[in-house]
């Protein structure tokens, strides 16, 4: 008998998850349970505190993390002198539940870490980014120790790495890897000398966020965040490295089972010539989330063009997904039709044996499997498009 894995649709774990979610509920209650789960998922807040000395690049990092340049609308004010006198929150342009806080500068003569953390209301942050543009000093370690004592996570970031590389390139025997290793080692040794055991320093450029240690830093953050906040982080990160592109795909994949279940259960639009029904609005909404998360929506593409020197038309020519011309009823019905052809009766029976509630629907099992397959294929195609667009922009970025 065929298995779900054979069809690359949905895993047994996904089905168990849905089964656990709906338990012994009737159909309307099961629908509401899944709807509420998806709604609450989009409301999970992520609060990031960014701190450091004046002029260290805090505000530029706040902007870059949200996919903005220093002069874009909604960007944090930047400058050589301290422009932040109290905690200032900047919402992510796409995910309003993601809040990046530009905190007042540290390093004043009478700096006291415990008083500073009370001033900025330390309890609101999920983690802190501690930035230095040169050496880390006593004020940085005081802050790190106090944050640790209060049970929060922090990450040391050495900023303005692009300036260092530009300066070192003038030397005859320039070796980028060696230069970066030396900077990292120097920062870590400096932190050890002032009391931090086993320090980890991430080398970052606010102007070229995708270069250097961004992947390593997001991996560390992802591991240390609670499960329900990891997805928020991955969707919010700008899609500027191949590793992030893949992580976004995996994060979006996690909801396919639940979205397909909702679509099959609500079942309001019959498809001519096919023995399946589906809620097109739910599917369309999920597909738009894919485009937004990967930065393939028109406003995001326009910003990418400004950085890379390419035109929107050039970037769109790299997209092969049949949905890139528009997400509408016709395009969705076409993809659902193609997905339904490969679903066997054995697979439907296997599904119904797992989740009997779906068997109470007319062709509900077939609808569920078809939508699952369609979303999985659409996500794969859109992720591939995002990868191609990213590769092209990296080749020509100015």
């Amino acid at each position: 008998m065929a298995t779900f894995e054979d069809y690359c649709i949905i895993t047994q774990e996904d089905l168990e998850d849905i089964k656990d979610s709906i338990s012994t509920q009737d159909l309307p209650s099961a629908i509401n349970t899944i709807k509420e789960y998806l709604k609450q998922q989009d409301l999970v807040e992520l609060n990031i505190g960014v701190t450091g000395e004046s002029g260290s690049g805090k505000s530029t990092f706040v902007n870059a993390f949200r996919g903005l340049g220093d002069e874009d609308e909604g960007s944090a004010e930047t400058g050589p002198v301290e422009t932040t006198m109290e905690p200032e929150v900047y919402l992510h342009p796409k995910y309003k539940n993601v809040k990046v806080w530009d905190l007042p500068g540290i390093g004043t003569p009478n700096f006291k870490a415990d008083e500073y953390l009370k001033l900025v209301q330390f309890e609101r942050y999920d983690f802190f980014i501690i930035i230095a543009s040169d050496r880390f000093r006593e004020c940085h370690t005081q802050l790190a120790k106090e944050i640790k004592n209060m049970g929060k996570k922090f990450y040391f970031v050495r900023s303005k790495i692009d300036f260092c590389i530009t300066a070192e390139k003038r030397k005859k025997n320039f070796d980028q890897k060696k230069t970066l290793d030396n900077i990292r080692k120097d920062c870590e040794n400096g932190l050890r000398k002032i009391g931090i055991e086993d320090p980890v320093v991430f080398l970052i450029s606010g102007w070229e966020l995708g270069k250097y240690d961004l992947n390593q830093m997001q991996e560390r953050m992802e591991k240390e965040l609670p499960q329900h906040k990891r997805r928020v982080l991955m969707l919010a990160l700008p899609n500027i490295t191949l590793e992030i592109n893949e992580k976004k795909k995996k994060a979006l994949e996690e909801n396919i089972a639940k979205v397909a279940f909702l679509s099959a259960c609500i079942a309001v639009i019959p498809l001519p010539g096919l023995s399946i029904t589906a809620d097109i609005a739910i599917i369309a909404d999920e597909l738009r989330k894919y485009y937004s998360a990967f930065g393939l929506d028109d406003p995001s593409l326009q910003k990418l063009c400004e950085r890379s020197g390419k035109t929107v038309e050039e970037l769109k020519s790299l997209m092969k997904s049949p949905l890139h011309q528009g997400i509408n009823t016709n395009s969705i019905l076409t993809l659902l039709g193609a997905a339904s052809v490969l679903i066997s009766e054995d697979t439907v029976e296997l599904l119904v044996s797992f989740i009997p509630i779906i068997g109470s629907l007319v062709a509900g099992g077939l609808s569920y499997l078809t939508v699952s397959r369609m979303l999985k294929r659409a996500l794969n195609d859109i992720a591939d498009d995002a990868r191609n667009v990213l590769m092209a922009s990296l080749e020509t970025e100015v």
Side-chain angles (χ1 to χ4, degrees), residues 26-40:
D26 57 18
L27 188 56
S29 300
I31 290 171
N32 287 334
T33 297
I34 301 295
K35 270 189 172 180
E36 186 60 25
Y37 173 88
L38 294 172
K39 179 184 174 184
Q40 290 303 319

Side-chain angles (χ1 to χ4, degrees), residues 285-339:
D285 186 54
E286 193 68 8
L287 292 171
R288 289 188 190 99
K289 286 180 183 177
Y290 296 172
Y291 274 93
S292 181
F294 284 111
L296 296 180
D297 53 296
D298 286 344
S300 299
L301 286 176
Q302 190 58 53
K303 280 185 184 174
L304 186 57
C305 289
E306 291 167 11
R307 292 201 303 270
S308 67
K310 289 189 175 289
T311 65
V312 171
E313 290 71 27
E314 282 179 286
L315 294 181
K316 284 194 172 184
S317 71
L318 301 170
M319 299 184 198
K320 307 304 178 189
S321 166
L323 293 164
H324 87 272
Q325 298 289 358
I327 297 169
N328 52 53
T329 300
N330 286 339
S331 60
I332 292 173
L333 291 180
T334 301
L335 290 178
L336 284 171

Side-chain angles (χ1 to χ4, degrees), residues 14-71:
D14 289 325
L15 292 173
E16 293 286 4
D17 184 33
I18 289 181
K19 195 175 179 180
D20 290 342
S21 297
I22 63 178
S23 187
T24 57
Q25 299 178 54
D26 57 18
L27 188 56
S29 300
I31 290 171
N32 287 334
T33 297
I34 301 295
K35 270 189 172 180
E36 186 60 25
Y37 173 88
L38 294 172
K39 179 184 174 184
Q40 290 303 319
Q41 191 181 52
D42 289 338
L43 295 177
V44 172
E45 275 198 7
L46 184 65
N47 286 276
I48 303 165
V50 181
T51 187
E53 292 181 282
S54 302
S56 61
K58 288 188 293 112
S59 299
T60 294
F61 180 88
V62 166
N63 295 333
F65 191 88
R66 297 178 301 134
L68 299 176
D70 285 347
E71 296 180 4

